[in-house]
Amino acid sequence: MADRRFISVEFVYKPRPANADYDSRRRRAVFDYALRSRLAELARHPDAALILCCADLSAAASLAPILADFPSLLTLTTFVNPEAYAPPFPDAETPYRCAWDAPEAWTQYKTTDRWARIAFALEVGQRVATAGGQGWIVMPAHDAVWGAYLLDELAAISLEQARGGLPAAVSPYSDFHHSAVPGVWIDPLVIRVINAAFHRPPDSIASRAYQQFWGKMGIIPYAMCASILRRVEMRVWEDDLEIDSAIQTLGYAAVTAFAMHGVHVSYRQALPVFSLVDALALFDRTLHYSLPIPGNTSLLARPFIALWQHLPDYALNYWYLAACIEALTARCQRHIASRLARFGCSWVDWGAYRHVVRVGDPFVQVWKDSP
């Protein structure tokens, strides 16, 4: 694949959503819309390739109807999952101490499944670079919606912002963390709540007050992959922040490209989040991310009412958004605080795995309730 300018590695954690009921049909429609946007942009490039990095055969097979619409796109399939520890597990007491069902049935893993697939993608980049290839590994999340020419725009920025002898790693950033999908009913309030909750001031991002490489979408030069692979600590849960830190430490550039109001780069996100109950799971995971970091660093820990209390009375819609965000965050925080008080840790189920975090401990425990 040394002649490929872009190699997009899709992390396929589970089969495409089913088509059984109204809710699952909506989830399938959002998933398909975002995936098709990415495949259409890839297929526009004769020098692009797609790797499906799947959990199992059923996950790979479920994408066949969509892939059939892109016959010209070179597509490879592989199966990558995290490696389990051999018993006795390093944290063998966790399932018992935390009173999980059937504690003896749980297996501990060395990394998250996402880290296992990131490592695979970086190894692909390393091997392509060794073979003389020049281009970028692309790692999109399922909710990344690509517009036309996005990859060309990001590649141009990567070359312009080169540092340390290599093009930059580039991530697009959009204030549309959630957005509408044609033909799918998503409550506009839910979209507005999520966009308000996860908003980051563009000036702060540009001034590097935040990270520059984002897990939702990013391109990494092949020649950078080997160094990142050697540098990152894969026991840390928040992988994009770890990758961003590694790039900076290595003396290379990580750059955020803005997609504000449709200018600069064509990019947004669309989530399978249709209600405030769905949003709770998203908030819960975000708050768990921040637990290992000393201090109260979570984006969602901001007092939203205080931020917006200076608004005039006619801006009641902003007060309502703030109240929704505060209520969702407070509910998650109460649940987390209760677990911390009882067990000394908290956890969140995401995909097929349970992620256990402790305050101040930088390393996540990864468990699954079957071998």
Side-chain angles (χ1 to χ4, degrees):
M1 302 180 74
D3 62 336
R4 300 289 157 166
R5 184 166 171 243
F6 298 107
I7 300 175
S8 182
V9 185
E10 287 276 350
F11 301 162
V12 189
Y13 301 93
K14 58 185 179 180
R16 178 182 173 217
N19 201 24
D21 52 35
Y22 175 66
D23 188 59
S24 60
R25 285 195 294 272
R26 285 200 295 176
R27 292 181 186 279
R28 169 176 280 200
V30 171
F31 177 90
D32 288 1
Y33 178 79
L35 178 59
R36 286 183 179 277
S37 78
R38 299 193 296 274
L39 298 186
E41 171 63 4
L42 277 177
R44 203 176 56 76
H45 293 270
D47 54 358
L50 171 69
I51 298 179
L52 301 176
C53 191
C54 303
D56 53 35
L57 187 59
S58 63
S62 69
L63 301 183
I66 297 179
L67 294 171
D69 294 336
F70 301 91
S72 65
L73 179 60
L74 174 62
T75 303
L76 307 177
T77 302
T78 188
F79 302 98
V80 177
N81 290 288
E83 181 182 356
Y85 282 108
F89 305 131
D91 301 285
E93 80 288 350
T94 296
Y96 296 90
R97 178 166 49 84
C98 296
W100 297 348
D101 293 338
E104 72 285 349
W106 290 81
T107 300
Q108 188 175 3
Y109 289 80
K110 295 182 179 180
T111 69
T112 65
D113 54 343
R114 178 172 164 82
W115 260 126
R117 294 176 185 122
I118 289 173
F120 169 82
L122 293 174
E123 185 175 347
V124 169
Q126 174 184 336
R127 294 191 178 203
V128 172
T130 301
Q134 297 184 17
W136 293 267
I137 284 289
V138 189
M139 293 190 291
H142 286 178
D143 44 324
V145 178
W146 294 2
Y149 303 103
L150 172 66
L151 294 180
D152 289 328
E153 291 166 339
L154 296 181
I157 294 170
S158 176
L159 295 171
E160 290 169 1
Q161 299 292 326
R163 186 195 306 160
L166 293 179
V170 184
S171 285
Y173 176 84
S174 172
D175 248 356
F176 294 105
H177 302 277
H178 196 2
S179 59
V181 170
V184 181
W185 165 248
I186 303 175
D187 190 336
L189 171 63
V190 173
I191 293 176
R192 292 175 60 216
V193 163
I194 289 180
N195 286 337
F198 290 94
H199 168 74
R200 295 172 177 85
D203 290 345
S204 296
I205 296 176
S207 67
R208 299 187 175 272
Y210 294 102
Q211 68 196 73
Q212 298 294 300
F213 186 85
W214 305 94
K216 293 296 185 181
M217 169 62 188
I219 66 171
I220 298 177
Y222 299 145
M224 197 185 291
C225 291
S227 298
I228 294 174
L229 194 55
R230 289 192 297 267
R231 173 69 62 169
V232 291
E233 170 54 76
M234 296 188 189
R235 291 175 294 175
V236 174
W237 189 10
E238 200 165 2
D239 45 72
D240 56 340
L241 185 59
E242 180 69 9
I243 292 171
D244 180 81
S245 177
I247 293 170
Q248 304 290 349
T249 301
L250 289 164
Y252 303 133
V255 177
T256 296
F258 293 95
M260 308 299 289
H261 308 297
V263 299
H264 301 310
V265 295
S266 303
Y267 171 79
R268 62 186 174 94
Q269 292 157 215
L271 295 159
V273 174
F274 307 106
S275 67
L276 294 179
V277 173
D278 291 335
L280 267 175
L282 185 63
F283 280 43
D284 192 39
R285 183 179 63 158
T286 302
L287 289 167
H288 276 86
Y289 271 160
S290 68
L291 286 181
I293 306 171
N296 195 0
T297 60
S298 174
L299 179 71
L300 290 173
R302 298 181 303 181
F304 281 87
I305 295 293
L307 285 174
W308 290 336
Q309 65 182 0
H310 64 282
L311 292 173
D313 290 343
Y314 62 77
L316 288 177
N317 56 333
Y318 290 102
W319 281 90
Y320 187 51
L321 287 179
C324 288
I325 295 167
E326 295 280 3
L328 292 171
T329 302
R331 178 170 174 175
C332 292
Q333 287 177 321
R334 286 195 300 270
H335 193 200
I336 292 171
S338 175
R339 279 185 177 161
L340 291 175
R342 183 179 177 188
F343 305 116
C345 64
S346 188
W347 59 86
V348 60
D349 293 333
W350 202 256
Y353 299 86
R354 177 164 290 180
H355 303 79
V356 181
V357 292
R358 292 179 294 183
V359 174
D361 186 347
F363 302 142
V364 66
Q365 295 179 30
V366 182
W367 294 86
K368 192 177 181 185
D369 62 353
S370 61

